[in-house]
Amino acid sequence: EMSVLVCGAGIAGLACRLAFKKLGVRVDMVELAPVIAKPENEEPVILTPNGTRMLAALGLNDLISKSQKLDSLSIYSSRDGNMISSANFNDLSKVDGAHEFPAIALSSTELIKAMFKAGNPDDGTASNVRMAAGVTSISAVPPHGVAVQFSAASMPARQYDLVVGADGVGSAVRTLLVGAPVASSSGAIHIGYPGWGYWHAVVDLPSPPPELVDPRGLVELWGGGRRLVTFPMPGGRT
């Protein structure tokens, strides 16, 4: 039986774990955080039809139906209020004229908890997810193995057929495999950060003013090197 270790219990890692489960492969998972989906780390999430299609493929149709459907995207200029661009998500949601995969909005906590639960064994046995644990060493074992040592003293070293690094921008797995990011001649270290800051808030707003929030769509206001984005969330939130 194939042995797999997934490092990181965020959206990417949990999706990987769930995909392996559907293939009949049991996965070990380690996560540095002490708990799954801490409330203070909750973020709003938007999934366009291609993302929703992946959720459906992973068997999360119930989560899709409970999420806030988004019909459209509208982008306006902050200078004069004119529309810059728009998209109808409903036109993109149908595949072969039959299956519909809508654009949706939900919270990261809702998504992570649903993926975590769906990835647990169906036979009631304990889940192989270890919290507050990471990897400290990864090395190749010819011809196709990977030896891993863990930060938790209670976890003995183990060999896997595959190790997946889904542990974020500052990935420990990537650093162990290829080394830390190297500074350029200018002294800058480039790790893919595009230079945008991001602030978000989720508020209870059952009846938002239409000039601020489209009750069925995603609205973006562009201008001055900044963007303001609003969209409805499940449960009367914005």
Side-chain angles (χ1 to χ4, degrees):
E1 182 179 344
M2 185 178 186
S3 59
V4 177
L5 172 69
V6 175
C7 303
I11 293 172
L14 292 172
C16 184
R17 171 177 176 250
L18 184 50
F20 272 116
K21 176 188 176 182
K22 295 184 73 66
L23 293 173
V25 178
R26 189 172 174 84
V27 172
D28 288 345
M29 172 173 275
V30 291
E31 166 58 48
L32 286 173
V35 296
I36 290 285
K38 294 174 68 175
E40 58 266 34
N41 293 335
E42 182 173 88
E43 298 183 57
V45 175
I46 298 170
L47 292 176
T48 50
N50 56 339
T52 309
R53 185 178 184 181
M54 294 301 101
L55 285 189
L58 292 173
L60 296 172
N61 291 290
D62 187 53
L63 176 66
I64 296 172
S65 66
K66 293 178 180 178
S67 300
Q68 173 66 52
K69 182 181 177 183
L70 300 175
D71 292 336
S72 61
L73 164 66
S74 301
I75 303 173
Y76 297 92
S77 166
S78 65
R79 177 176 300 177
D80 53 23
N82 289 332
M83 180 177 286
I84 298 173
S85 183
S86 65
N88 187 331
F89 289 137
N90 293 325
D91 292 341
L92 306 173
S93 66
K94 291 183 173 57
V95 177
D96 300 327
H99 301 89
E100 182 172 333
F101 304 103
I104 59 173
L106 70 166
S107 74
S108 58
T109 298
E110 293 164 334
L111 177 57
I112 288 173
K113 286 185 175 181
M115 297 176 81
F116 181 81
K117 181 179 179 180
N120 287 336
D122 294 327
D123 58 7
T125 57
S127 171
N128 285 4
V129 178
R130 182 65 181 266
M131 304 303 296
V135 297
T136 58
S137 174
I138 299 175
S139 57
V141 179
H144 304 298
V146 184
V148 179
Q149 292 183 325
F150 300 96
S151 59
S154 60
M155 296 181 67
R158 182 176 171 184
Q159 182 173 320
Y160 292 90
D161 297 310
L162 176 67
V163 175
V164 178
D167 49 343
V169 174
S171 171
V173 173
R174 181 171 57 245
T175 298
L176 288 169
L177 288 175
V178 301
V182 178
S184 65
S185 58
S186 65
I189 296 178
H190 301 285
I191 55 174
Y193 175 61
W196 285 79
Y198 170 61
W199 291 264
H200 65 84
V202 178
V203 296
D204 292 322
L205 206 61
S207 301
E211 64 272 16
L212 177 63
V213 180
D214 182 342
R216 297 286 294 180
L218 173 66
V219 176
E220 295 191 17
L221 188 65
W222 290 10
R226 295 173 175 84
R227 297 182 185 180
L228 173 66
V229 181
T230 63
F231 53 92
M233 296 277 289
R237 297 172 295 166
T238 296

